Amino acid sequence: MNFPSTIVSIFELWMSRIGRDAILKSTFTESATLAYSGGKDSSVCLLFFIYLNERYQISFPKIFHMSHGIRSNESQELAIQNYLFDTFPRVIVKKKIFQN
């Protein structure tokens, strides 16, 4: 992926604030889980890990997506699931089941 220089600057700033050494340790993503909703905030977090993977060969964390089933948005949920399963190695998708 070709990251614009403004995005690279932001991600590098994040790394300096979080702690570059901590992020670049191989253990950083071994036990990490990223909750991905498909919204803007979780999409930016996921993009950060894509950047880390491409720039520093950091492995992807487990990515967790929950289908809440609150709205009738099956096609959107399917698109999110397909994207995650097609792109990332460790994906967990859970459909929330409401008790009657």
Side-chain angles (χ1 to χ4, degrees):
M1 180 177 284
N2 189 12
F3 290 94
S5 61
T6 53
I7 300 296
V8 170
S9 296
I10 291 168
F11 287 163
E12 290 296 324
L13 178 62
W14 286 5
M15 289 182 67
S16 67
R17 288 185 176 179
I18 294 169
R20 179 175 298 279
D21 291 341
I23 290 173
L24 295 179
K25 283 183 181 177
S26 61
T27 56
F28 181 68
T29 58
E30 286 178 3
S31 62
T33 301
L34 174 68
Y36 181 74
S37 67
K40 292 177 185 176
D41 53 349
S42 63
S43 293
V44 170
C45 288
L46 188 57
L47 187 65
F48 180 57
F49 277 103
I50 293 170
Y51 173 77
L52 291 174
N53 177 263
E54 290 183 9
R55 177 85 185 252
Y56 298 103
Q57 292 72 49
I58 298 294
S59 62
F60 290 111
K62 291 179 278 311
I63 300 169
F64 178 81
H65 174 72
M66 175 172 287
S67 171
H68 285 49
I70 296 170
R71 295 175 293 282
S72 180
N73 60 353
E74 290 82 16
S75 62
Q76 180 185 12
E77 290 294 334
L78 184 59
I80 289 171
Q81 290 177 36
N82 288 340
Y83 167 69
L84 294 175
F85 283 124
D86 291 345
T87 310
F88 304 100
R90 299 184 295 171
V91 176
I92 303 163
V93 174
K94 177 74 175 151
K95 186 166 183 89
K96 187 172 184 179
I97 299 172
F98 293 94
Q99 305 242 343
N100 293 338

